[in-house]
Amino acid sequence: MKHLPKHLRPRWRYLGVGIESWPDADVDRAAFQRDLWYAAGNLLGDPGSADVDLTVYGFRFEDGRGDAVVRVRRREVERGRAALACLSEVGGAPVRVTVRGTAGTVRACEERYIRRPPEPTDERTVAFEDADRDAVVRGSRADVRVDGGFAGATDYDFE
Amino acid sequence: MYEAAHARPDGESTVARLALTAAEQGYEGLVVRNHGDAEAGYDPDAIGERYGIDVVDGVEVRAGDRSRLAGLIGSHRERRTVVCVHGGPHNRLVCEDERVDVLAHPMRDGDVNHVLVRAARENGVRVEFDFGRVLRTVGGERVQALRGLRKLRELVGKYEAPYVVSADATDHLQLRAPRELLAVGESIGFDREAVRAGLAEWGRIAERNRERRADSFIEPGVRRGRYEEVDR
């Protein structure tokens, strides 16, 4: 189909979002997109969800940390933000999705909010709650393996 | 704006991790509201200084029977800056106790009515709008949570009762930034400014209670001045 003349095309905003989960989480783009649409549908209803759009563009996720570019319609940024805030799980893994900022183009969004080198991940043993435990350490954050899951900690807890 | 959350062993993350995450999200303060039977050992000042956020030692008192609840409120009031009480069947008792700062999630296992909200206003007990179930559940449970929030919102608006807003996080992944809570609040029928005021209210409670706990405090409006030693 012939594409629309420029003044009739929809205007978009691109949200640069950060994704955080536990280190064993396995989140891929398809699951993220599906659960985001479910979250939007549940919060805003089908009409609201269709208005906001929420298409996932760039997506990267590794070792419990990732980022993505999410497209929303220009006047629907706040509703998009609300839907992203209600995304508490992706494929059964608990996630925290943070909107780092909004931009008018995918490129500006990636340059401003995404293209930062990911912090290196390190696995080591730490003293936590009177025992030596394995931890996935990234910067000052550490996810410590405890019975039946992980505990969120920082380097302050090992001093 | 402040947020209130549960730390280990009540939740999954340590106070330090919650503080770091909340500070990054733009909160000015974090109230640690572990349940009274799962207290976290931590140093609020040290953590607060390290991550540039005001860490407030709070508690969420929980007890099965009324007499024990009243006793626990009294003992925690002396030690804690912010005293919340786990809402539920004892909502009425809590609303009528002026030692309580916050009635937490009153609609989760209980209910409120005009009598309770009026009592809460008279005793300065803030009722909490708990966004936790809106953010983290789906289906029928979420519908119930939304219904409860709406009822509470209408009563609180009618009687101008004080309130707080929280996402009631139990780990750092459940924390949501202030702007995100404003956006969620707006889409479920709250006024943006009302949500902002509810988040700021935690900070006001902490400030007022710190002033009251200070040595120079005698009663509201009366404090020990610098001439006291000389006058004696």
Side-chain angles (χ1 to χ4, degrees), chain A residues 23-45:
Chain A
D24 62 348
D26 183 21
V27 175
D28 61 22
R29 183 175 177 259
F32 184 77
Q33 175 72 83
R34 188 186 59 233
D35 286 356
L36 178 57
W37 274 334
Y38 274 129
N42 283 332
L43 182 73
L44 310 167

Side-chain angles (χ1 to χ4, degrees), chain A residues 7-106:
Chain A
H7 66 285
L8 293 177
R9 283 179 214 163
R11 305 282 194 124
W12 306 107
R13 283 288 176 270
Y14 299 88
L15 308 180
V17 303
I19 306 161
E20 187 180 3
S21 185
W22 299 118
D24 62 348
D26 183 21
V27 175
D28 61 22
R29 183 175 177 259
F32 184 77
Q33 175 72 83
R34 188 186 59 233
D35 286 356
L36 178 57
W37 274 334
Y38 274 129
N42 283 332
L43 182 73
L44 310 167
D46 291 343
S49 178
D51 278 346
V52 178
D53 191 71
L54 290 168
T55 307
V56 176
Y57 272 61
F59 185 88
R60 181 174 63 186
F61 189 87
E62 227 174 279
D63 299 330
R65 216 53 59 92
D67 38 48
V69 174
V70 176
R71 187 180 77 171
V72 297
R73 263 184 195 263
R74 188 177 56 169
R75 290 182 196 282
E76 304 285 357
V77 172
E78 284 304 295
R79 287 212 283 173
R81 199 190 296 276
L84 281 162
C86 290
L87 185 61
S88 59
E89 279 188 0
V90 174
V95 294
R96 183 168 73 88
V97 180
T98 321
V99 179
R100 293 187 188 140
T102 62
T105 61
V106 175

Side-chain angles (χ1 to χ4, degrees), chain B residues 13-88:
Chain B
S13 305
T14 62
V15 175
R17 184 63 176 270
L18 291 170
L20 170 62
T21 308
E24 274 182 4
Q25 287 181 325
Y27 284 106
E28 293 152 3
L30 173 77
V31 179
V32 180
R33 55 187 265 185
N34 276 27
H35 284 103
D37 45 17
E39 295 189 357
Y42 63 102
D43 179 351
D45 296 332
I47 296 174
E49 197 168 313
R50 180 151 181 160
Y51 298 115
I53 184 170
D54 178 17
V55 177
V56 184
D57 63 322
V59 68
E60 188 173 317
V61 183
R62 178 167 61 179
D65 62 288
R66 295 170 66 88
S67 54
R68 221 171 92 72
L69 185 62
L72 283 173
I73 293 170
S75 66
H76 282 293
R77 179 73 279 173
E78 284 168 24
R79 292 187 289 135
R80 305 288 177 185
T81 309
V82 175
V83 176
C84 313
V85 180
H86 191 84

